Amino acid sequence: SSLTSTLKDVLDHDLKRTNGHCEIPLESADDLREGLTTIEGRSKGLIRFIDAYREYTSLPQPVVRSVRVKELLDKVAQFMKPDFRDSGIVFHHTCQSEYLTIQADEEMIEQVLINLIKNAREALAGQADGRIEVRGSYDEATTYIEVTDNGPGIIAEALEKIFIPFFTTKKGGSGIGLALSRQIMQMHNGTLTAESRPYERTAFRLRF
Ligand SMILES: Nc1ncnc2c1ncn2[C@@H]1O[C@H](COP(=O)(O)OP(=O)(O)OP(=O)(O)O)[C@@H](O)[C@H]1O
Ligand SMILES: [Mg+2]
């Protein structure tokens, strides 16, 4: 199955990285302790990985209703507010029209927006003039929700990789947020795309 082959890749990768470390004869209690700590760390990593994999493969079918974009954004902003207290990051949300409506599973789209806002916040960590904006808009045929930040951004070569399951550049990240978010948008017959101009505008765009 794809789970076992993915697991095999992860294990192979770990074995290569530890360089056969476990096979070195243990000469002292310190070696043994170090060996056990390595194994413990890897087990935790694997458990995290399996949990993330399960979450990724067991997405429910969306329950589609009419959702007012403004109300959705108000709700997400309210929910995320505590995260920005004392962070120095300015967080804004706007909607082009209060009547703007999408056909969507509200909770799933909320989850997508929360993933994107968390990523933006993580990208802005330690930056003095950090700004995040969430904006609902529309043109003739399409409704958009965009999450933008002015953080370090994403180099062109990485722009498609970031959507691959388990791709992460974060220590302790599982690399699942964007893969899940894109899958959720596909289930809504929509798209999720990214563009980035470092320290100016990194934007994730939901298209309905
Ligand atoms: N706003 C952003 N600015 C810069 N880089 C970003 C941004 N959003 C995502 N990325 C890059 O994309 C990668 C994948 O993001 P994704 O949300 O899928 O995983 P993660 O945040 O690393 O881990 P998880 O979301 O599972 O905790 C991140 O590790 C980061 O390198
Ligand atoms: Mg993330």
Side-chain angles (χ1 to χ4, degrees), residues 160 163 177-187 192-194:
E160 271 311 303
F163 293 100
L178 287 178
L180 262 178
S181 299
R182 182 171 261 185
Q183 185 153 320
I184 288 172
M185 285 310 291
Q186 278 165 1
M187 289 170 126
L192 173 63
T193 54

Side-chain angles (χ1 to χ4, degrees), residues 119-120 123 149 153-154 162 167-170 173-178 204:
N119 278 346
D149 70 70
I154 302 150
I162 56 174
F167 177 90
T168 183
T169 57
K170 294 170 196 169
S174 47
I176 205 72
L178 287 178
F204 286 83

Side-chain angles (χ1 to χ4, degrees), residues 2 6 153 161 163 165 203:
S2 66
T6 313
K161 292 210 184 85
F163 293 100

